[in-house]
Amino acid sequence: MPEPHGHLFHVELAVEQPGDAIVLALPVWTPGSYLVREFARHVEGFAAEDASARPLEVERLDKHRFRVASRGAPLARIRYRVFAHELTVRTCHLDGSHGFFNGAGLLLYAEGRAREAHVLEVVPPPGWRVSTALAPAPGGRDPLEPAGPDTGGRWLFSARDYDELVDSPVEIGTHELAAFSVHGKPHAIALWGRGADLGRLAGDARTIVEHFAGFMGGLPYERYLFIVHLNASGRGGLEHATSSTLLVKRTGFFPRDAYLETLGLLAHEFLHVWNVKGLRPAALVPYDYAREQYTRLLWWFEGVTSYYEELALVRARLADPQRYLKHLGEELTALARLPGAAKMSLEEASLTAWVKFYRPDENSPNSAVSYYQKGELVALALDLMLRGSGSTLEDLLRALYRRHTDGGLPEDGVERAVAEVVGRDNARAFFDRHVRGTGPVAMDLEPVGLTVKRRRAQAFDDKGGTPGKAESGPQPGWLGASLGSGPKLAVSAVREGSPAWRAGLYADDEIVAESGFRVDRAALWDRLCERGPQGSLQLTVFRRDELVQVPVQLAEPPEDTLWLEPVETPTDAQRSAFEAWCGASLPARGVAR
Ligand SMILES: [Zn+2]
């Protein structure tokens, strides 16, 4: 990183005994993020030489591979640069404030040599430190020691093989580092960006690590690192076997609800240590960095992880159960408003992640379902079914983890394990409906003292999860368009079959007036209430650069806003079942937040 402002990582790769020729390749994707990202488009200045600095011939084979004619030299030294100016958890970023990389975007592998041990040396600009979950190599400084001895800027790490190398992202800079220990194993948080309380985050991260250590029965690694990046508006996480990267909003630490979302993200990525890393889809064993790999099981790995992300916060007493019930109501509402859920199964959502989930567009709500969102609710339904048979979803997760850590989880592995608990017919019926089929999620919440309630939306941004206001006054007419969150009143999606759909309102239309008068969100909602289900709107919209009139005949609003409510007089059995599930008491009725 001689000139960080130029966003170029300078990489040197030494291959011992390369033989007559060696093919070097950069991955096209990085595990955990199912999109072909074509990292090789950022590679430049590729050249090779032998140990005596004599040039070796290089042939570019295709978009991501290079063939080096090493002609029996004992060593091939390859140099190249990688442009790194994309700040996400899956890419590489280098500027005057820090460097961050995922190995898949930066480090070539030698075909046929990826199983061998690798050594990584990072040479940072003066005054910068290096943090990664890789173990320090002999003579290297420990990256998890905030005040370790300075070894003169030598940061040397060893990786068992290429998989471990690229599964260990590296943060380089003047970031803060907080260390803590759980079960005697070192953990740390490396924080890039100003404006967060790292001490508080480290304390709560320790609580979450302790929770999952108890939940899964120990910690299956020697050291763990959370890399946290602060930014203005983006949010995302990427899991690794012994680390994770979290991109968090700078405002994600206050108020409490925003902070709990940050902790939820941290809990989610951490649980992946077991669920998708330790226990991996067999279809992804070994990783093939050159092309897409397909599994029908992403709903299990992301849905179940999302389910425990929220539940863990309640069980670890970081969040109250009221918040959790509100969250579940919001998820049920989002799914009820999604026409795509009736068209795409969880299996199909998993298989098509590469072209659907990771490439959403305005038609996604009408054509697709998220294996995170529906997967979380199906995980809840499965947990409730297993609890009815004296088991739990965490029993199932632990059993699958023990059974399939080596070869990976077969495509039918979850269903077979469920069948052992509830019988083959019940398991098949559950998977036909929820995983292979597109029927609504059927869950029996009565044993844990809850019922699902429905009502109409009471505002454009009514996400459900609460009973809402007591209904009074005129009933609003239904439009069926989602509005973006920006200052302009832009349509983000039009629900199939809705009045807006029938009237020919389009995604990206910018609503500027109704009946000739300027409207904002609040005024447009008032017009819906004023006109009612039998009324109409006379919308004026900018479509691309043209002003267009769109009359809309409104309709009866659907009852697509859901929330969970404790039953009126819970029995002792319901109370104790709720407590066994959430680790907290069943809330009193009407204490919605
Ligand atoms: Zn995940």
Side-chain angles (χ1 to χ4, degrees):
M1 291 152 275
E3 295 166 304
H5 294 294
H7 318 297
L8 287 170
F9 280 105
H10 293 230
V11 189
E12 182 180 310
L13 164 64
V15 185
E16 291 167 355
Q17 304 302 334
D20 285 341
I22 189 152
V23 174
L24 301 159
L26 198 63
V28 305
W29 67 289
T30 192
S33 183
Y34 306 98
L35 177 68
V36 170
R37 291 182 189 275
E38 310 289 24
F39 297 117
R41 72 190 200 275
H42 296 306
V43 173
E44 60 178 68
F46 192 97
E49 61 185 37
D50 66 12
S52 317
R54 279 188 297 258
L56 298 173
E57 202 182 310
V58 173
E59 181 190 359
R60 187 149 192 162
L61 297 177
D62 55 29
K63 64 180 182 184
H64 73 125
R65 295 187 308 153
F66 304 83
R67 184 176 180 278
V68 174
S70 35
R71 299 190 309 265
L75 184 97
R77 204 184 296 282
I78 291 99
R79 292 199 178 90
Y80 58 99
R81 297 181 296 278
V82 175
F83 182 71
H85 200 209
E86 192 179 358
L87 182 62
T88 78
V89 295
R90 318 103 172 177
T91 48
C92 304
H93 190 243
L94 174 63
D95 69 8
S97 68
H98 84 145
F100 168 75
F101 67 85
N102 280 287
L106 194 71
L107 306 173
L108 297 163
Y109 59 93
E111 285 186 359
R113 305 279 298 268
R115 298 278 144 258
E116 296 177 22
H118 288 61
V119 173
L120 173 71
E121 178 173 5
V122 183
V123 186
W128 286 19
R129 67 179 314 135
V130 180
S131 296
T132 174
L134 286 172
R141 183 173 161 182
D142 190 331
L144 301 195
E145 278 285 329
D150 198 333
T151 51
R154 258 178 97 66
W155 298 87
L156 268 178
F157 307 100
S158 38
R160 187 167 63 238
D161 52 20
Y162 184 78
D163 284 348
E164 186 180 48
L165 179 70
V166 300
D167 193 36
S168 308
V170 180
E171 176 69 24
I172 310 139
T174 57
H175 51 273
E176 284 183 82
L177 195 68
F180 58 91
S181 164
V182 178
H183 289 204
K185 293 179 173 176
H187 294 69
I189 303 182
L191 175 75
W192 172 70
R194 293 176 292 118
D197 182 345
L198 181 58
R200 182 171 59 137
L201 183 64
D204 291 331
R206 183 210 303 249
T207 301
I208 289 167
V209 171
E210 284 168 348
H211 170 77
F212 282 119
F215 178 91
M216 290 303 295
L219 295 171
Y221 50 73
E222 292 310 311
R223 47 209 292 118
Y224 191 93
L225 173 68
F226 297 96
I227 296 174
V228 179
H229 291 162
L230 300 184
N231 81 130
S233 57
R235 182 176 189 273
L238 188 63
E239 70 277 8
H240 305 279
T242 59
S243 59
S244 52
T245 307
L246 315 173
L247 180 70
V248 179
K249 280 191 257 185
R250 218 176 295 282
T251 52
F253 292 80
F254 185 87
R256 185 73 186 168
D257 271 346
Y259 183 55
L260 288 173
E261 276 188 38
T262 298
L263 292 183
L265 179 67
L266 186 143
H268 178 108
E269 304 310 336
F270 184 67
L271 179 57
H272 275 315
V273 164
W274 294 271
N275 198 30
V276 92
K277 283 298 173 182
L279 174 69
R280 210 201 294 180
L284 272 65
V285 180
Y287 288 126
D288 184 347
Y289 299 102
R291 56 190 61 80
E292 297 91 330
Q293 287 180 295
Y294 294 97
T295 173
R296 292 174 167 78
L297 288 171
L298 290 184
W299 71 270
W300 169 267
F301 292 105
E302 293 303 346
V304 169
T305 303
S306 296
Y307 173 57
Y308 285 116
E309 139 192 357
E310 293 291 335
L311 198 49
L313 299 185
V314 184
R315 290 176 172 180
R317 309 206 173 273
L318 292 164
D320 56 43
Q322 287 90 338
R323 177 185 175 276
Y324 182 52
L325 298 186
K326 176 167 178 261
H327 163 79
L328 288 178
E330 289 175 352
E331 296 300 304
L332 286 166
T333 300
L335 196 64
R337 293 175 181 175
L338 196 74
K343 297 183 186 168
M344 180 186 271
S345 69
L346 280 182
E347 266 194 4
E348 190 186 354
S350 302
L351 278 176
T352 58
W354 301 88
V355 293
K356 292 278 191 182
F357 184 77
Y358 275 88
R359 288 181 174 164
D361 57 32
E362 72 274 12
N363 189 44
S364 298
N366 287 327
S367 66
V369 70
S370 156
Y371 49 78
Y372 286 82
Q373 194 169 59
K374 185 178 172 189
E376 178 186 351
L377 294 170
V378 169
L380 168 60
L382 185 55
D383 196 9
L384 292 168
M385 180 172 77
L386 292 168
R387 283 170 187 275
S389 298
S391 185
T392 63
L393 189 66
E394 51 256 42
D395 289 338
L396 180 67
L397 177 58
R398 284 188 288 258
L400 291 172
Y401 178 73
R402 275 196 307 271
R403 216 178 279 182
H404 299 294
T405 307
D406 285 340
L409 180 61
E411 294 289 286
D412 63 349
V414 181
E415 184 173 352
R416 276 197 285 129
V418 170
E420 289 169 23
V421 182
V422 302
R424 258 186 37 201
D425 290 347
N426 289 333
R428 186 181 301 137
F430 184 92
F431 280 75
D432 278 349
R433 180 188 182 102
H434 293 110
V435 180
R436 289 183 284 272
T438 55
V441 181
M443 57 178 83
D444 186 7
L445 286 154
E446 195 266 331
V448 290
L450 297 171
T451 49
V452 180
K453 301 274 192 174
R454 288 176 168 270
R455 61 175 173 82
R456 289 182 288 268
Q458 296 181 341
F460 279 119
D461 55 0
D462 183 352
K463 291 190 284 197
T466 65
K469 300 186 292 275
E471 289 201 8
S472 63
Q475 193 191 121
W478 184 42
L479 177 61
S482 308
L483 303 175
S485 54
K488 288 181 176 176
L489 209 54
V491 175
S492 56
V494 177
R495 200 194 300 189
E496 195 173 300
S498 69
W501 171 279
R502 288 195 295 272
L505 194 66
Y506 298 172
D508 294 336
D509 281 353
E510 181 195 344
I511 299 172
V512 291
E514 196 285 319
S515 295
F517 297 102
R518 194 191 337 249
V519 281
D520 57 13
R521 275 173 107 81
L524 187 62
W525 184 261
D526 285 346
R527 297 289 82 72
L528 289 174
C529 295
E530 180 185 71
R531 308 288 159 75
Q534 272 73 49
S536 62
L537 294 182
Q538 306 301 321
L539 296 178
T540 303
V541 307
F542 262 116
R543 177 166 299 161
R544 297 179 289 274
D545 56 347
E546 188 177 358
L547 210 52
V548 177
Q549 305 298 324
V550 184
V552 184
Q553 177 59 50
L554 303 175
E556 288 284 336
E559 290 203 320
D560 60 3
T561 306
L562 284 69
W563 80 99
L564 296 182
E565 194 164 83
V567 297
E568 205 153 350
T569 45
T571 64
D572 288 349
Q574 285 172 318
R575 286 184 187 285
S576 61
F578 183 92
E579 208 161 320
W581 169 47
C582 279
S585 304
L586 181 65
R589 212 166 181 205
V591 196
R593 296 166 70 248

